Amino acid sequence: MNRVATNLFRCRSASKIATLALLITLHLGLNAADTANDSSAASKVTVQLEAKKAGPRGVENLTQRAIVRDYRSAWTTMSHALEFNTLDPIDVPFAGDAKRVVHDTVISQQRSGIRQVFTDQNHQLQAVFYAPEGDAIELHDTASYRQQVLDGSRSIQDRRVVMYYVVLMTPSADRWVVRQMQVVQQF
Amino acid sequence: MGRLRLIVTWMFLSLSLALCLDGLCAAEDSGVRVPTSVIAGEPATISTMGSGRATFYVLGPGISRKSDVRLGEEIHLDSQYTRNAGAYQVIVCADTCQSATFYVTADKAAALTFLVHPSRVPVSQSNAVSGVAIPFDQFRNLIFTPLNVNFQLTTGNTLLLSRAVRTQDGVAWFRNASGRSAGALQVVASLDEVSARRVVQQVASDPCNLRIEGERTKTGIMVQTEPVHDCSGNPVPDGTIVTFTAVEQNGKSTVDAPIKQGIARAQISGPGGAVISAASGVVMGNEVRVGAQP
């Protein structure tokens, strides 16, 4: 009788533990899903390219797709770097002066304790120049995004802005890299 | 839930309207005055209004600064902080934060990035040489104000091209035919005192008037070209392959031979007579008929 009771108790305990484990798993899973959703929302970068007016060389479809992919990657990387003040990811999508400027901004932010968060990014790219041999492309990016500036954990600025970027990209071994990225008042 | 959200939204809108009627919503961006435009590497002065202590932030390309300031006093931004062209965001926080943006533009041209293609080019090819010049200031900022870039192409003492091209969106470019003689093609882009020089090696084009002669030897047929030139008279470089084809009674045989000191030679074995022709790339030469061994 005692053995039966003990087994029943064990069985109920095991059932409770299993239920608890299931709840914890569900909870963690839901949280993880939320985090993933937040993260994907934060890193949402929409890029569209209009290349009909580019010259003197026409931009082929495959090249257009590669530029959109790599420019989006550059913004995702830069947003991550400026939000978490980390230099790890900037080597791949940036080169030359653009890389130097992003690097200096991150180092400067690390010193001042400032962070910038870019969300809901939309980039309307227009190719304005594509070199005769295809070794450089100049893009005009009308970028709209929500920019939050944080001093530590305190938000000191939260606004939606439209900025005008002039971008120079060049092909590297397996991708297009951003070499220049300069904001202008207007195109 | 929906009703609660509606109430909260209504309260928020009412509060916003009340604040606006008090003139507080217009206060944003009004307490900070920034210069309309700054040249890269020049100091900037920012004015604040009000009194008391505040925290001053400036965020720009390559810069993120934070410092304590007194409202009502001018803030001087040193020239080292305005080297990169772009948008600079100024935020001043006391009880509330106010912000303004100013733009730094490039200084005068101090460097030229000059891309020239190709590094080797056959002579007399139309639109074969191209160049792109991009002016930068001393801080490596792109310059968007239109500037005249002079392109010059010279080979030996001959001027092939001299053209002034106005930059558009910060870029000037040219495309031109290669010269008629093999050798170095000097390509120069200049802008005021700034210039950049590149060298393109012009090489002979495809062979022209490929002519061969052949004679019977003890072991077969010795065939060779006359000195191989392109249509402009430039000797075709050594190593260029000439293919000799011999059509005999029993069949056909081919031999590839590189040009050495301007001439390609090949030995074709066999006692019979043959019709021999030569080709190099897409260029065909003449045919020679060599009789059979007596």
Side-chain angles (χ1 to χ4, degrees):
Chain A
M1 185 68 184
N2 278 346
R3 190 175 287 172
V4 171
T6 309
N7 280 345
L8 195 65
F9 176 76
R10 274 186 191 158
C11 193
R12 279 186 184 167
S13 295
S15 163
K16 276 180 188 170
I17 289 166
T19 311
L20 192 66
L22 184 69
L23 284 172
I24 289 170
T25 310
L26 268 173
H27 179 72
L28 289 176
L30 286 173
N31 274 353
D34 280 352
T35 311
N37 285 341
D38 286 347
S39 168
S40 67
S43 62
K44 187 186 162 198
V45 181
T46 310
V47 180
Q48 285 170 317
L49 172 65
E50 162 63 59
K52 282 179 188 160
K53 290 177 185 167
R57 186 187 177 100
V59 190
E60 289 167 12
N61 284 338
L62 211 59
T63 308
Q64 290 185 32
R65 269 185 264 156
I67 286 168
V68 167
R69 179 198 64 202
D70 296 337
Y71 190 67
R72 184 190 293 118
S73 158
W75 265 95
T76 307
T77 301
M78 187 169 74
S79 304
H80 182 82
L82 295 178
E83 182 175 349
F84 299 103
N85 285 340
T86 172
L87 290 168
D88 295 342
I90 68 167
D91 275 342
V92 178
F94 292 97
D97 297 313
K99 186 170 147 186
R100 173 182 56 83
V101 171
V102 176
H103 175 274
D104 290 353
T105 309
V106 171
I107 294 292
S108 192
Q109 284 195 172
Q110 284 173 350
R111 287 189 192 130
S112 63
I114 295 170
R115 296 189 297 128
Q116 295 183 70
V117 182
F118 298 92
T119 46
D120 292 334
Q121 295 182 42
N122 184 279
H123 300 269
Q124 296 290 329
L125 291 178
Q126 184 163 23
V128 293
F129 175 79
Y130 189 31
E133 297 300 322
D135 50 359
I137 191 163
E138 183 180 338
L139 306 163
H140 284 180
D141 175 16
T142 304
S144 66
Y145 47 75
R146 182 179 162 209
Q147 182 205 23
Q148 273 181 289
V149 181
L150 302 161
D151 181 358
S153 56
R154 181 190 171 207
S155 174
I156 55 169
Q157 176 94 52
D158 189 347
R159 62 177 188 165
R160 181 147 198 98
V161 287
V162 176
M163 301 295 257
Y164 303 100
Y165 287 84
V166 178
V167 180
L168 270 183
M169 292 181 86
T170 57
S172 68
D174 59 348
R175 58 172 53 231
W176 285 79
V177 293
V178 176
R179 285 201 165 267
Q180 285 282 336
M181 199 181 214
Q182 211 165 298
V183 177
V184 292
Q185 207 157 0
Q186 57 185 29
F187 293 131
Chain B
M1 190 69 181
R3 189 174 289 176
L4 182 67
R5 189 176 291 171
L6 195 70
I7 291 167
V8 169
T9 310
W10 181 81
M11 284 172 69
F12 174 75
L13 287 173
S14 303
L15 188 65
S16 301
L17 183 66
L19 286 172
C20 273
L21 287 175
D22 283 349
L24 285 178
C25 67
E28 194 183 323
D29 298 347
S30 63
V32 188
R33 282 197 188 148
V34 292
T36 48
S37 178
V38 176
I39 305 286
E42 288 187 356
T45 303
I46 294 139
S47 314
T48 56
M49 279 179 269
S51 60
R53 302 187 71 83
T55 309
F56 169 79
Y57 301 90
V58 60
L59 286 91
I63 171 183
S64 171
R65 267 190 84 205
K66 173 188 173 186
S67 56
D68 292 328
V69 293
R70 281 191 175 281
L71 292 175
E73 290 180 359
E74 286 188 335
I75 302 160
H76 297 283
L77 206 56
D78 211 25
S79 57
Q80 62 173 315
Y81 297 113
T82 60
R83 288 182 173 181
N84 295 321
Y88 285 68
Q89 192 182 348
V90 172
I91 306 169
V92 177
C93 292
D95 296 333
T96 58
C97 293
Q98 297 170 344
S99 71
T101 302
F102 67 93
Y103 291 85
V104 170
T105 54
D107 195 8
K108 65 179 182 182
L112 268 176
T113 289
F114 192 27
L115 308 170
V116 174
H117 281 284
S119 55
R120 265 167 80 92
V121 65
V123 296
S124 303
Q125 302 277 310
S126 60
N127 290 331
V129 182
S130 68
V132 175
I134 307 172
F136 288 87
D137 71 2
Q138 59 176 318
F139 305 111
R140 296 291 302 169
N141 296 307
L142 284 167
I143 302 172
F144 300 115
T145 47
L147 301 167
N148 279 333
V149 177
N150 292 298
F151 293 112
Q152 276 204 336
L153 274 68
T154 50
T155 170
N157 293 325
T158 314
L159 183 67
L160 287 184
L161 171 80
S162 179
R163 187 187 299 161
V165 179
R166 207 159 173 74
T167 58
Q168 195 177 347
D169 296 316
V171 179
W173 67 281
F174 76 89
R175 192 153 47 192
N176 204 66
S178 55
R180 291 179 61 81
S181 54
L185 172 67
Q186 305 284 339
V187 186
V188 178
S190 55
L191 170 62
D192 300 330
E193 294 101 47
V194 186
S195 70
R197 180 185 297 269
R198 303 285 180 269
V199 177
V200 174
Q201 196 62 38
Q202 294 186 130
V203 295
S205 193
D206 289 331
C208 201
N209 296 323
L210 186 62
R211 295 198 62 78
I212 59 170
E213 53 197 29
E215 61 177 2
R216 176 150 296 284
T217 60
K218 285 180 184 172
T219 52
I221 301 165
M222 170 63 80
V223 64
Q224 69 172 37
T225 64
E226 290 179 1
V228 184
H229 292 98
D230 67 8
C231 295
S232 303
N234 299 294
V236 172
D238 282 4
T240 305
I241 299 294
V242 175
T243 304
F244 296 97
T245 305
V247 179
E248 295 158 297
Q249 204 169 14
N250 301 334
K252 192 163 83 172
S253 59
T254 60
V255 180
D256 285 342
I259 293 174
K260 282 182 189 167
Q261 295 179 332
I263 292 170
R265 288 187 186 87
Q267 175 82 30
I268 296 168
S269 55
V275 176
I276 301 164
S277 62
S280 181
V282 294
V283 179
M284 294 290 293
N286 62 314
E287 281 183 354
V288 291
R289 188 178 295 273
V290 180
Q293 221 167 24

